[in-house]
Amino acid sequence: MDNPIPITAVVLAAGTSSRMGAFKPLLPIDGTPMLETVITKILSIPFIEVMAVVGYKDREIKESINIQNHRFKWVSNRDYLEGLSSSLKAAIHQYNLQNLGAMVFLGDQPLIKISTIEKMVQVINEKGNDQSKAIIQPAYNGMPGHPVFISSQMIPYLKTITGDQGAKPIFKHAEKHILFPTDDKGILFDVDTKQDYQNIIR
């Protein structure tokens, strides 16, 4: 997987971490900020570009996480208080429609395995590389999780979403919604509470 993959990887990390009571993106995991852990995993796959959408305390994040990679860039979401939809909209402003699609990650899912991302790229190449309106997700015990692949033909629908919801409202427009099985619990595990974080540390 050395050739550039024409997919934009998008990491959503603009929230205020209100349920956590601490600022999630910079919480250390093995000495590395959580968000940096996620971005580094994604950069290990040769996506043509990787963008992290930040909002709340974005300056602090950029000063604390130093990633030197020509494929990576920060995207600032000034409307982060409007929720996840605003971050997806901020990302698509920077999106190149020549790519196959966008693979959307959550900045608070540091346990996802690199092998899961590799498998997802394989599934996209096999089933989502035909210019159709496609949504592709990994599923653990039948439960779909992140990342979510949104084909280029689906990207314009993201302009219609509002509030603190992700891309789910646009799934109804998909010509195909593919779930592939994985044994990776990390696709479902968000770090939302202090207990979640303690579980990861342990």
Side-chain angles (χ1 to χ4, degrees), residues 111 189 193-202:
L111 296 184
F189 190 82
T193 65
K194 289 180 179 177
Q195 187 60 53
D196 293 338
Y197 178 59
Q198 291 303 322
N199 290 341
I200 281 188
I201 298 298
R202 282 202 295 271

Side-chain angles (χ1 to χ4, degrees), residues 133-183:
K133 294 178 181 177
I135 298 290
I136 298 176
Q137 292 178 274
Y140 179 81
N141 282 346
M143 294 182 64
H146 280 81
V148 176
F149 174 76
I150 304 168
S151 70
S152 273
Q153 291 69 30
M154 293 289 292
I155 294 291
Y157 293 108
L158 290 174
K159 296 175 182 176
T160 66
I161 60 177
T162 57
D164 193 26
Q165 56 186 339
K168 201 167 186 178
I170 76 166
F171 288 7
K172 63 189 176 190
H173 300 292
E175 293 165 352
K176 54 187 178 184
H177 186 175
I178 297 164
L179 300 180
F180 68 91
T182 178
D183 61 358

Side-chain angles (χ1 to χ4, degrees), residues 7-200:
I7 291 172
T8 301
V10 177
V11 189
L12 304 181
T16 61
S17 309
S18 56
R19 288 174 60 190
M20 171 64 72
F23 191 44
K24 283 195 289 188
L26 299 183
L27 285 175
I29 296 177
D30 293 332
T32 302
M34 185 187 304
L35 179 55
E36 184 174 346
T37 298
V38 175
I39 294 169
T40 301
K41 283 186 179 183
I42 296 167
L43 280 168
S44 72
I45 311 294
F47 293 114
I48 197 161
E49 62 179 351
V50 177
M51 58 178 76
V53 184
V54 291
Y56 180 66
K57 293 188 177 181
D58 60 343
R59 181 178 297 177
E60 186 176 336
I61 291 175
K62 292 174 186 177
E63 289 174 352
S64 302
I65 298 176
N66 182 26
I67 294 176
Q68 300 293 329
N69 191 303
H70 72 279
R71 294 181 293 125
F72 176 76
K73 67 180 175 182
W74 297 106
V75 174
S76 290
N77 173 18
R78 300 292 172 217
D79 301 317
Y80 62 87
L81 288 175
E82 295 177 13
L84 270 180
S85 64
S86 64
S87 288
L88 286 166
K89 288 176 181 177
I92 63 173
H93 278 304
Q94 309 276 337
Y95 177 74
N96 181 352
L97 278 169
Q98 299 304 310
N99 292 338
L100 287 177
M103 195 181 294
V104 180
F105 295 80
L106 302 181
D108 61 358
Q109 286 192 329
L111 296 184
I112 188 168
K113 297 175 183 176
I114 292 173
S115 59
T116 301
I117 308 172
E118 291 173 335
K119 172 65 175 176
M120 193 157 176
V121 170
Q122 181 184 335
V123 173
I124 291 166
N125 283 331
E126 291 171 356
K127 300 181 179 180
N129 195 3
D130 59 358
Q131 303 301 305
S132 63
K133 294 178 181 177
I135 298 290
I136 298 176
Q137 292 178 274
Y140 179 81
N141 282 346
M143 294 182 64
H146 280 81
V148 176
F149 174 76
I150 304 168
S151 70
S152 273
Q153 291 69 30
M154 293 289 292
I155 294 291
Y157 293 108
L158 290 174
K159 296 175 182 176
T160 66
I161 60 177
T162 57
D164 193 26
Q165 56 186 339
K168 201 167 186 178
I170 76 166
F171 288 7
K172 63 189 176 190
H173 300 292
E175 293 165 352
K176 54 187 178 184
H177 186 175
I178 297 164
L179 300 180
F180 68 91
T182 178
D183 61 358
D184 183 1
K185 292 182 183 178
I187 68 162
L188 301 175
F189 190 82
D190 304 15
V191 181
D192 283 331
T193 65
K194 289 180 179 177
Q195 187 60 53
D196 293 338
Y197 178 59
Q198 291 303 322
N199 290 341
I200 281 188

